[in-house]
């Protein structure tokens, strides 16, 4: 799905965290209801909307 820009497997209450970029709420609804929730094995989703990114950086991991 082109809307997914990052996908992480997680520990805790959730199996995965998907970062999805949509142009508006209508597109987000379509992605959630018509694409994600129709994938076999996905039982439920929970949505968090980012209002603003306040900090971002890349970290380089060095081989030991």
């Amino acid at each position: 799905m082109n809307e997914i820009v990052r996908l992480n497997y997680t520990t805790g209450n959730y199996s995965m965290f998907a970062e999805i970029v949509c142009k508006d709420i209508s597109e987000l609804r379509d992605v959630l209801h018509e694409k994600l929730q129709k994938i076999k094995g996905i039982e439920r989703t929970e949505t968090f909307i980012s209002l603003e990114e306040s900090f971002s950086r890349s970290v380089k991991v060095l081989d030991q």
Side-chain angles (χ1 to χ4, degrees):
M1 291 177 14
N2 293 332
E3 296 86 1
I4 296 177
V5 297
R6 182 175 294 122
L7 184 65
N8 301 95
Y9 289 103
T10 65
T11 61
N13 293 331
Y14 306 102
S15 300
M16 286 190 266
F17 175 82
E19 184 175 342
I20 298 172
V21 175
C22 297
K23 64 182 176 186
D24 56 26
I25 295 298
S26 178
E27 183 181 15
L28 176 60
R29 181 178 30 81
D30 182 60
V31 169
L32 293 174
H33 294 289
E34 301 303 323
K35 295 180 179 180
L36 273 179
Q37 293 178 353
K38 291 189 176 184
I39 296 173
K40 184 178 178 180
I42 294 183
E43 295 177 10
R44 65 185 175 90
T45 62
E46 188 169 335
T47 304
F48 302 88
I49 296 176
S50 174
L51 301 175
E52 178 181 354
E53 181 177 75
S54 61
F55 181 79
S56 179
R57 72 172 162 188
S58 297
V59 177
K60 185 173 183 176
V61 178
L62 302 175
D63 291 331
Q64 298 279 346

